Amino acid sequence: MDKTRSRVRPRTDDDVQACLRVLAEVHRQDGYPVNWPARPGDWLTQASALGSWVAELDGRVAGHVDLTRSAEGDLAPVLWGERNGTSGEQAAVVGRLFVAPRARGHGIGALLIGRAVEEARHRGLHPVLDVVASDTAAAALYERLGWTRLATVEQRWSASQVVTVHCYSA
């Protein structure tokens, strides 16, 4: 990867619209997020964020990731805590990770994950994440980066939607 063409930096309020355009492209092409949020801006800028970053490629927003405290429905922190005899509160959740289709193949996803992991460890927290099983490209990336699959579970997202989710730990 040509690092002079890409960089990761903290997300600013000025980045949100560009991030939402990239997210819409990713949703159209890959189906992420599975359910398009009613308020995408709120979904992206959730209040529990410990940090949010964007990747730029050739000066344009090309990807996004955030790090949050565990929320209701996050399975990976609970599983990681049970395995390690500690509380899931000692985990931080890597999420809202997406890379523009035009920017794939440049290592952007790995850079973004690396930044979130660095922040989690700086805060004394262990990085974990949940990913829908149908997102095979994301699961392959996490496994290439050395993440461990803790479990694969069925999760009820609504009365009519059950989703298979892989839970990972860095």
Side-chain angles (χ1 to χ4, degrees):
M1 174 184 54
D2 180 1
K3 291 187 187 251
T4 61
R5 296 182 57 207
S6 63
R7 73 178 182 136
V8 174
R9 62 172 175 76
R11 187 193 71 215
T12 67
D13 290 343
D14 292 340
D15 295 319
V16 172
Q17 288 307 311
C19 288
L20 291 174
R21 283 191 296 275
V22 170
L23 182 62
E25 287 176 46
V26 170
H27 180 71
R28 281 190 302 274
Q29 180 166 320
D30 304 325
Y32 176 82
V34 171
N35 300 318
W36 185 255
R39 298 176 59 132
D42 292 347
W43 180 86
L44 187 68
T45 60
Q46 58 191 338
S48 62
L50 297 171
S52 299
W53 300 269
V54 294
E56 292 181 341
L57 181 64
D58 296 331
R60 292 174 52 202
V61 170
H64 178 275
V65 70
D66 71 17
L67 186 71
T68 63
R69 291 281 185 187
S70 178
E72 186 162 340
D74 290 331
L75 300 174
V78 174
L79 292 169
W80 176 81
E82 288 172 355
R83 277 206 182 167
N84 292 282
T86 187
S87 163
E89 293 176 8
Q90 296 300 310
V93 179
V94 176
R96 308 300 196 254
L97 173 64
F98 54 91
V99 175
R102 67 173 168 76
R104 295 184 183 155
H106 293 277
I108 301 279
L111 283 173
L112 286 164
I113 291 168
R115 182 61 190 92
V117 166
E118 177 185 325
E119 182 66 21
R121 293 200 167 128
H122 173 75
R123 292 172 177 265
L125 301 170
H126 187 86
V128 298
L129 59 86
D130 296 334
V131 62
V132 293
S134 60
D135 194 345
T136 56
L141 172 63
Y142 306 137
E143 291 175 14
R144 254 193 333 272
L145 295 175
W147 287 60
T148 301
R149 188 182 305 181
L150 300 169
T152 298
V153 298
E154 299 287 309
Q155 194 175 33
R156 180 165 295 284
W157 286 7
S158 72
S160 61
Q161 186 178 32
V162 175
V163 180
T164 302
V165 176
H166 297 313
C167 303
Y168 284 91
S169 167

